[in-house]
Amino acid sequence: MKLPRTADHPPHLFRSECMTKVLAACLWMVLCATAASQPLPVTPQQQATAQQTAQVGVALSDLAPGAPDEYTVRPGDTLWAISRLYLLQPWRWPELWGMNLEEIANPHRIYPGQVLYLDKAGGRARLGARSGARRNPDEAEDTLKLSPRTRDVSLSGMALPALSPGAIEPFLSEPIVVDAHTLAAAPRIVAGNDGRVLLARGDRAYARSSAGTPLPEPTESNRGFRVFRDATPLKDPGTGEILGYEAQYVGRAVLQRGESTTRAASDRKEIATAIPATIDIVATREEVRAGDRLLPEPPRQLTRYVPHAPATAVEGRIVSVYGNAVQFAGQNQIVAINKGTRDGIETGHVLAILKNGETLVDKTGGTKETIRLPSERVGLLMVFKPFEKVSYALVLEISDTPRTGDFLVNP
């Protein structure tokens, strides 16, 4: 394409200006395509709340003490942390998002380098955002200085996550809740190569089906397996109901050859000999051994977490602390709770943890009387992986030590 030349625009400046406009247009199309291909992870109710808040703002009494007038988003920030910075209740995600719905149209499109500023005009709080730092106060408002330059920027992964990715991602492929028969019917490892008892990453092993159907030859869709062991019952602390069985994750394996059978004649009879399937251990959390079970590797799902309070009242309890033989949980640990999809629990639900009040004998009044101390709020957790009767949740905040049996209520 031949560029026109004018007296006001020398050729080299005109080309630079056109190139800048072309690059800007291309970037805009990329952003639009990205937004169109990734729908907002927000419910209609949250959208309605955000739209209402965008019109009126939030009450100043709902702001966190010391909420900054201006904050520059930094790498490593999370949306939960920023929400905690501005609001008393960080799970009130739509309010933070809705303070300025036009500028913060998607809560998962806040990037490092953006400047958040708080407007308290009229006794209501509104949150705005702009890119980069403030202009020099000595410069005129309509002055904008541009310098042509090129810069490669990857847009993927730049948006702030709702929570620290390292807090949840290691557990997304590990805990699994199964019924009493699923794990027993799963293929089992029968031996290691060269008679090895304990298997690690890089070792070869052999497996057989437990349900009568031999493991088939590998294809692109059936090669990956997770290795599990010892299904531990998850029992409701209140009712004693078995909510499911938690299988212990020990590693991952890849199917190399399916099961087969050889037949040989012996004493005028044909004898069939089973040949187990061949697998390679590709990852381990601990040593794999004979008897461990194989379950198909599920497709990886990208989940965006939008913390929010349940729409209806929830009364639950902590069932267990994942990956530990102890009853106490710390911050950023995973716990199982006795509520699942059958109870309306969904990904992102935030619940308050109430310390189970201790029962003791009052000896201070002259007579011995049994009393129970009140339940005190000791933290918050967020559901990130619900099953039918049980869910896994991340402990977000604690002021005391939560433990198995503690109560869960709406925040």
Side-chain angles (χ1 to χ4, degrees):
M1 180 178 69
K2 187 175 182 181
L3 297 175
R5 299 172 60 176
T6 68
D8 295 333
H9 294 80
H12 65 285
L13 293 180
F14 190 83
R15 286 193 296 269
S16 177
E17 180 182 352
C18 288
M19 184 60 68
T20 300
K21 290 181 178 179
V22 170
L23 290 175
C26 291
L27 178 59
W28 175 252
M29 287 188 291
V30 170
L31 289 173
C32 291
T34 301
S37 63
Q38 298 181 359
L40 299 182
V42 180
T43 65
Q45 181 181 0
Q46 290 175 315
Q47 285 182 327
T49 303
Q51 290 169 354
Q52 179 182 2
T53 308
Q55 295 175 0
V56 301
V58 298
L60 298 182
S61 58
D62 291 330
L63 291 178
D69 294 330
E70 184 176 292
Y71 179 77
T72 301
V73 181
R74 299 187 294 262
D77 278 342
T78 63
L79 294 177
W80 177 272
I82 293 177
S83 184
R84 166 62 73 188
L85 193 65
Y86 280 98
L87 295 173
L88 288 172
Q89 300 152 325
W91 61 88
R92 293 174 57 183
W93 214 265
E95 282 84 342
L96 177 64
W97 170 33
M99 286 180 181
N100 194 321
L101 192 61
E102 292 182 358
E103 295 187 17
I104 308 177
N106 186 339
H108 292 273
R109 286 294 178 267
I110 299 178
Y111 298 94
Q114 282 186 313
V115 180
L116 306 180
Y117 59 93
L118 191 62
D119 179 10
K120 302 179 183 178
R124 306 289 292 184
R126 296 171 179 82
L127 189 65
R130 57 174 170 261
S131 299
R134 287 182 181 271
R135 293 192 185 103
N136 188 325
D138 295 331
E139 293 181 3
E141 284 295 322
D142 58 351
T143 300
L144 183 62
K145 294 184 177 180
L146 296 177
S147 299
R149 59 178 176 172
T150 61
R151 177 170 49 177
D152 293 330
V153 179
S154 174
L155 295 178
S156 62
M158 288 182 60
L160 294 191
L163 305 165
S164 175
I168 290 180
E169 286 182 357
F171 298 91
L172 292 180
S173 62
E174 293 188 7
I176 185 171
V177 176
V178 296
D179 57 41
H181 306 291
T182 298
L183 206 62
R188 66 192 185 277
I189 296 176
V190 295
N193 196 23
D194 296 329
R196 295 181 182 177
V197 177
L198 300 179
L199 305 172
R201 178 182 177 182
D203 286 340
R204 175 152 288 188
Y206 304 98
R208 296 189 65 191
S209 172
S210 298
T213 303
L215 283 167
E217 290 299 318
T219 64
E220 289 298 323
S221 61
N222 72 350
R223 295 191 64 186
F225 287 89
R226 289 191 248 166
V227 186
F228 292 94
R229 175 186 307 150
D230 300 336
T232 304
L234 296 173
K235 184 180 295 186
D236 190 308
T239 65
E241 177 190 5
I242 300 297
L243 304 172
Y245 292 83
E246 181 182 81
Q248 178 187 353
Y249 171 86
V250 294
R252 294 176 54 244
V254 173
L255 180 65
Q256 299 296 345
R257 285 190 298 270
E259 287 184 79
S260 60
T261 303
T262 61
R263 299 181 180 277
S266 177
D267 297 332
R268 300 181 180 180
K269 293 189 301 183
E270 188 178 63
I271 299 177
T273 303
I275 300 178
T278 301
I279 62 173
D280 286 337
I281 308 299
V282 295
T284 57
R285 185 175 179 181
E286 58 182 83
E287 290 87 354
V288 176
R289 58 178 184 248
D292 289 344
R293 302 286 174 161
L294 303 175
L295 290 175
E297 183 83 40
R300 183 171 179 81
Q301 296 180 345
L302 178 61
T303 304
R304 287 175 174 162
Y305 302 98
V306 182
H308 57 285
T312 58
V314 174
E315 294 183 359
R317 300 184 73 173
I318 295 177
V319 175
S320 65
V321 180
Y322 178 72
N324 289 286
V326 298
Q327 294 185 333
F328 296 95
Q331 189 164 334
N332 291 330
Q333 279 194 286
I334 306 299
V335 297
I337 68 173
N338 66 342
K339 296 294 177 182
T341 55
R342 70 172 182 177
D343 308 294
I345 293 296
E346 60 187 46
T347 299
H349 270 169
V350 175
L351 298 172
I353 306 171
L354 300 182
K355 186 175 182 179
N356 195 354
E358 182 182 359
T359 300
L360 50 82
V361 177
D362 180 12
K363 302 178 182 179
T364 62
T367 60
K368 295 182 179 180
E369 183 180 358
T370 301
I371 62 173
R372 182 176 180 177
L373 300 181
S375 297
E376 300 286 352
R377 178 166 165 166
V378 295
L380 291 171
L381 57 76
M382 188 200 76
V383 174
F384 69 91
K385 193 171 186 179
F387 293 89
E388 181 186 3
K389 301 178 182 179
V390 66
S391 300
Y392 288 105
L394 173 71
V395 178
L396 296 171
E397 300 176 0
I398 58 172
S399 58
D400 199 346
T401 306
R403 60 179 298 171
T404 300
D406 280 353
F407 292 97
L408 303 170
V409 297
N410 293 54

